[in-house]
Amino acid sequence: MVRQAGFPTGRSRSTQAERALAFRKMHEGPGLLLLPNAWDVAGARLYELEGFRAVGTTSAGIASTLGFPDGERMGLDDNLGVCRRIVAHVAIPVSVDVEAGYSGCLDGLSETIARVIESGAVGVNLEDGAKAGCGGSAPGALLEPSAQADRIAAARQAADRAGVPLVINARTDVFLAHGAVSEDRLREAIDRGNTYRSAGADCVFVPDMGDLGEAEIAALARGIGAPLNLIAGERTPSVPRLEALGVARLSFGPRPMRAALHFLRAMAREWLATGTYSRLHSGESLSYDEVNAWFTPGDSRVT
Amino acid sequence: MVRQAGFPTGRSRSTQAERALAFRKMHEGPGLLLLPNAWDVAGARLYELEGFRAVGTTSAGIASTLGFPDGERMGLDDNLGVCRRIVAHVAIPVSVDVEAGYSGCLDGLSETIARVIESGAVGVNLEDGAKAGCGGSAPGALLEPSAQADRIAAARQAADRAGVPLVINARTDVFLAHGAVSEDRLREAIDRGNTYRSAGADCVFVPDMGDLGEAEIAALARGIGAPLNLIAGERTPSVPRLEALGVARLSFGPRPMRAALHFLRAMAREWLATGTYSRLHSGESLSYDEVNAWFTPGDSRVT
């Protein structure tokens, strides 16, 4: 629980509570909340400078920067160490991805939530079990809805004890665990969403493998009595369409990181294949000075 | 000097010495050594999987992932913490960028080198003073050649004490500090290169602002009695041309990271501007499973 030396957030608890309330309010419109996902400080600052109102982390992305596969293989210390740095360097609200909570018991989960708040974050994602990730495979079993409700209630209580109205984003992996969208799975996602909302969640996150159509999205938004969070994929309707369908928040998971890695790979393959470096062209890149200026040491937000 | 818990390199000192010798030999041809620069484990693994024979770090890139501008503003602990993780996850030699050595005195520099070796790296970059970075501005003054020679000699002695034939890449910032290439500057770069070689450097790194022409490159390669390292930029001749001109090694500094950030920015701007996500298209990206497989926990190299 000791604050990491050199990374004070520079914000008091009451300010953190205010930021949490402001973040919660962003889910009420007008318009959909675009929540881009970062895996390091550079990306988080980039998002902030581009005008995003808040930023989320991606546990899978952070894990890969540190050398771990996804799925709580990295420790919570590693995960929150990156979150803490991000919080220290951006002024917008930060929501952290702590996967399934890094503990199977309620006491352990409460401790995780206390540490999330201590890191300076004002929002958290909590999954109901399947570690299929976003767009991946190898799903596990989902927790029983009542068991996950107990976990969400414990998380809420832990946040209350810390005095921070943490925005709890309850993620149900119904579609990741079971693949194709069906009438039954849609019903299950809605039921789980409402159960989690009643247990204390602020919003409900229903990631899919890209096969949620507009009719299903509208049914989810209508059926779940809480702001609905979807994940962006190649077949996801555009933001204006999602807004018309009643979606409150759109996040990206590790997909932007994988797209950036794909870009890096294409760049590296050119070096090897033809011995040229066309993607380094300065006119199409960021300058040394521009990136450095993102991190001015005198920046009051990081003192 | 305590090895960071959880990140054993799994290699003995003698193996590290063997790797250092293998890395040194890569500078002798045939062909130019392409040394791509990484700022986290994901990128380093990507380079390794693409077939690069060795990998370098970029201090400016690492700094920005952690929230610092370039120029030894992050601490050596932070810098080497990332290097240590990279070394633990790749089997190819790793050369680390410790800027100007993180100390103005010889004892401090020796301690830096001891810690570089303790991190598992087998190569190091040492600059002669200007903190202009790669392609940037605001240069500082260069150290006197004899003072930098003393530092290189101290670094060599520190490596000898550790029993590792560390590949010392002596960087001269003549062209970064003074801008445009001239006859005098070319002479100075050659003289500095030879002075540093005599002091114990294995190779000489002459980054430029993109204005080194083929004639100047050939003059550098001919004039410096050590393998010559250049940095890739938009106007740099292709690898086959550099080989013909006698260049031994080509690195990239923070430029690939900035290009990747530029790609991320373009992606984010599309989300904001049109509410679409075309750059996330899975057919053009890496899959969740593919990236996870880079970091299998059972990987013998990280146990």
Side-chain angles (χ1 to χ4, degrees), chain A residues 34-45:
Chain A
L34 270 174
L35 194 74
N37 296 83
W39 53 93
D40 62 25
V41 177
R45 279 288 285 152

Side-chain angles (χ1 to χ4, degrees), chain A residues 255 259, chain B residues 263 266-267 270-271 276-281 284-285:
Chain A
R255 293 169 183 180
Chain B
F263 175 83
M267 192 156 49
E270 182 191 355
W271 306 337
T276 54
Y277 344 95
S278 66
R279 288 176 184 79
L280 289 178
H281 275 196
E284 297 172 10
S285 189

Side-chain angles (χ1 to χ4, degrees), chain A residues 192-243:
Chain A
R192 282 182 177 266
N194 286 320
T195 300
Y196 301 163
R197 167 68 150 190
S198 297
D202 294 285
C203 41
V204 174
F205 180 24
V206 189
D208 74 313
M209 310 283 278
D211 45 6
L212 274 178
E214 294 209 359
E216 289 92 356
I217 292 172
L220 286 170
R222 215 171 30 238
I224 298 175
L228 174 64
N229 183 177
L230 294 185
I231 186 166
E234 61 181 314
R235 288 177 296 229
T236 305
S238 70
V239 171
R241 286 300 305 149
L242 292 178
E243 287 174 341

Side-chain angles (χ1 to χ4, degrees), chain B residues 124-266:
Chain B
V124 70
N125 274 16
L126 267 188
E127 305 164 10
D128 58 6
K131 278 311 304 174
C134 302
S137 58
L142 299 193
L143 287 178
E144 286 299 313
S146 62
Q148 180 66 358
D150 289 346
R151 292 174 62 80
I152 289 165
R156 173 58 63 208
Q157 287 161 19
D160 288 348
R161 279 195 296 275
V164 174
L166 187 71
V167 176
I168 298 176
N169 190 36
R171 168 173 148 178
T172 178
D173 288 348
V174 168
F175 296 126
L176 299 187
H178 299 296
V181 171
S182 69
E183 188 72 22
D184 281 357
R185 296 307 171 197
L186 200 63
R187 186 73 256 157
E188 183 180 353
I190 292 169
D191 289 347
R192 282 182 177 265
N194 286 319
T195 299
Y196 301 163
R197 168 68 152 189
S198 298
D202 294 284
C203 42
V204 174
F205 180 24
V206 189
D208 74 312
M209 310 285 278
D211 46 6
L212 273 179
E214 294 209 358
E216 289 92 356
I217 291 171
L220 285 170
R222 214 172 29 239
I224 298 175
L228 173 64
N229 183 178
L230 294 186
I231 186 166
E234 63 181 312
R235 288 177 296 229
T236 305
S238 70
V239 170
R241 285 301 304 149
L242 292 178
E243 287 175 340
L245 296 168
V247 176
R249 163 170 153 174
L250 186 70
S251 54
F252 298 81
R255 293 169 183 179
M257 193 217 194
R258 293 206 307 271
L261 284 173
H262 179 265
F263 175 83
L264 180 63
R265 188 170 72 178

Side-chain angles (χ1 to χ4, degrees), chain A residues 41 50 65 67 69-70 85 89 137 234 237 239 258 262 265 269 275 277 282 284 286 288-290 292 295, chain B residues 41 50 65 67 69-70 78 89 137 234 237 239 258 262 265 269 275 277 282 284 286 288-290 292 295:
Chain A
V41 177
E50 290 301 312
T65 67
D70 192 27
R85 285 184 190 272
H89 286 87
S137 59
E234 61 181 314
V239 171
R258 294 206 307 269
H262 178 265
R265 188 170 72 177
R269 286 183 174 177
Y277 343 96
S282 60
E284 297 172 10
L286 287 157
Y288 176 84
D289 290 340
E290 183 168 6
N292 272 334
F295 311 110
Chain B
V41 177
E50 290 300 312
T65 68
D70 193 28
D78 282 334
H89 286 86
S137 58
E234 63 181 312
V239 170
R258 293 206 307 271
H262 179 265
R265 188 170 72 178
R269 286 182 175 177
Y277 344 95
S282 59
E284 297 172 10
L286 287 158
Y288 176 83
D289 290 339
E290 182 169 6
N292 273 335
F295 311 110

